[in-house]
Amino acid sequence: GCLHSYCYMARHNGSRVFVNHNVEEIFASVARWAETYHKVPDQQDPKWMMVDIACNSDLVLMQRHIPGGLRSYLKMYDDHPTVNSTMATKYPGLLTLDVRDFNKPPRVRVSLMPQVYSDVLEPKMQDIMSRIRDINRLMDLGWEVHINYSPVVVADNWGEEYLNLFHKVQLHSKPTKCEVIFMTNHEKQMAKATDKAKSLMKYAYELKDNRGVMRSPIENKREYVRWFKQAYSDFWPVNTIRYIF
């Protein structure tokens, strides 16, 4: 849905989306890491070592391809004494797994942005209003639900668009925590983006590192972060933002 507009995974994957099948090997590697990692309460979680099990794909969309299914994969993390799982999705409507019998609730981060930007940057994906409505449904199924405001798009009228989005979230979902990630860009993304997508991506043009990742100019971004936190605090406590950058 976003492969030919804005998709950070396509910086290196081209037009391909990878689904890992060696899930037992992946979990074994995580378990070995967990033996050496000393967990302290932090912005990720006060207790569990949170492992993003879908940082290179949307496992909700790809769940039918996971060996053993999504439940069996999640149970590996659920049965571990110190590790828990987290994943972001743009397709919460496809997540129907009841996890109320789990030892600890797995986390799902529902990705949101104003619909006017979603139409351009992630076409063909689940519409934003229905994603918002899925938040309460997933909570009722036992999930720990967070909102993933990512990427935050800075463009003309972006403040008004995000205020409207906050109103919808407040009206249609229970309060929850969130993470906020402003748009990053890359010349490989710009090269394949549609003209409309480029018009939104062009604001993130300052080179961030030697990998070619770009962001909004840091002086501007400080102001964007300040505005977002202030606007957000009119709806929810600002300490429910787990991190923002």
Side-chain angles (χ1 to χ4, degrees), residues 89-93 109-115 122 126-139 145-149 161-176 236:
T89 183
K90 300 178 187 295
Y91 294 90
R109 291 128 51 212
V110 177
S111 297
L112 297 180
M113 67 173 67
Q115 186 65 56
E122 44 182 40
Q126 184 176 341
D127 70 89
I128 298 299
M129 194 64 243
S130 65
R131 295 186 209 179
I132 294 172
R133 292 194 177 101
D134 276 322
I135 291 172
N136 289 352
R137 179 183 62 82
L138 291 171
M139 287 181 177
V145 185
H146 290 187
I147 292 174
N148 177 37
Y149 292 108
E161 293 292 345
Y162 277 92
L163 286 174
N164 290 336
L165 178 61
F166 292 160
H167 278 291
K168 292 175 182 177
V169 173
Q170 185 184 55
L171 184 62
H172 296 284
S173 71
K174 301 173 186 176
T176 186
W236 308 279

Side-chain angles (χ1 to χ4, degrees), residues 3-32:
L3 205 57
H4 298 291
S5 53
Y6 177 84
C7 179
Y8 76 91
M9 287 185 289
R11 292 172 185 170
H12 304 292
N13 293 355
S15 60
R16 301 166 295 178
V17 176
F18 294 97
V19 183
N20 297 318
H21 279 217
N22 59 330
V23 292
E24 291 187 358
E25 287 182 320
I26 293 171
F27 178 75
S29 176
V30 169
R32 289 193 298 271

Side-chain angles (χ1 to χ4, degrees), residues 203-245:
Y203 296 94
Y205 63 84
E206 181 180 79
L207 193 65
K208 178 183 177 183
D209 56 34
N210 58 13
R211 295 176 300 169
V213 177
M214 296 180 286
R215 64 182 174 198
S216 297
I218 192 65
E219 294 81 6
N220 297 347
K221 193 171 183 181
R222 290 192 185 99
E223 178 61 23
Y224 301 156
V225 169
R226 185 204 63 78
W227 181 90
F228 194 101
K229 290 169 66 176
Q230 180 59 52
Y232 181 93
S233 68
D234 290 338
F235 295 85
W236 308 279
V238 72
N239 64 2
T240 58
I241 299 178
R242 295 195 300 117
Y243 51 81
I244 178 170
F245 62 89

Side-chain angles (χ1 to χ4, degrees), residues 56-195:
N56 282 316
S57 62
D58 192 321
L59 287 192
V60 175
L61 179 64
M62 307 288 184
Q63 58 188 308
R64 64 185 181 276
H65 299 295
I66 302 172
L70 182 59
R71 181 181 179 86
S72 64
Y73 188 33
L74 289 175
K75 279 300 292 179
M76 295 181 190
Y77 296 86
D78 184 54
D79 291 337
H80 193 279
T82 60
V83 168
N84 201 3
S85 62
T86 178
M87 57 183 177
T89 183
K90 300 178 187 295
Y91 294 90
L94 298 179
L95 188 56
T96 59
L97 184 63
D98 191 326
V99 295
R100 285 174 290 183
D101 62 324
F102 275 39
N103 300 309
K104 49 186 179 285
R107 180 181 298 168
V108 60
R109 291 128 51 212
V110 177
S111 297
L112 297 180
M113 67 173 67
Q115 186 65 56
V116 66
Y117 301 148
S118 179
D119 289 341
V120 174
L121 298 177
E122 44 182 40
K124 304 177 184 179
M125 295 188 179
Q126 184 176 341
D127 70 89
I128 298 299
M129 194 64 243
S130 65
R131 295 186 209 179
I132 294 172
R133 292 194 177 101
D134 276 322
I135 291 172
N136 289 352
R137 179 183 62 82
L138 291 171
M139 287 181 177
D140 291 342
L141 288 175
W143 290 82
E144 178 186 1
V145 185
H146 290 187
I147 292 174
N148 177 37
Y149 292 108
S150 173
V152 175
V153 179
V154 176
D156 293 340
N157 301 318
W158 75 285
E160 180 180 349
E161 293 292 345
Y162 277 92
L163 286 174
N164 290 336
L165 178 61
F166 292 160
H167 278 291
K168 292 175 182 177
V169 173
Q170 185 184 55
L171 184 62
H172 296 284
S173 71
K174 301 173 186 176
T176 186
K177 295 180 180 180
C178 75
E179 59 190 22
V180 185
I181 306 173
F182 282 78
M183 176 181 283
T184 60
N185 199 0
H186 194 281
E187 61 180 7
K188 291 182 179 179
Q189 288 171 271
M190 289 294 282
K192 66 179 180 61
T194 63
D195 289 342

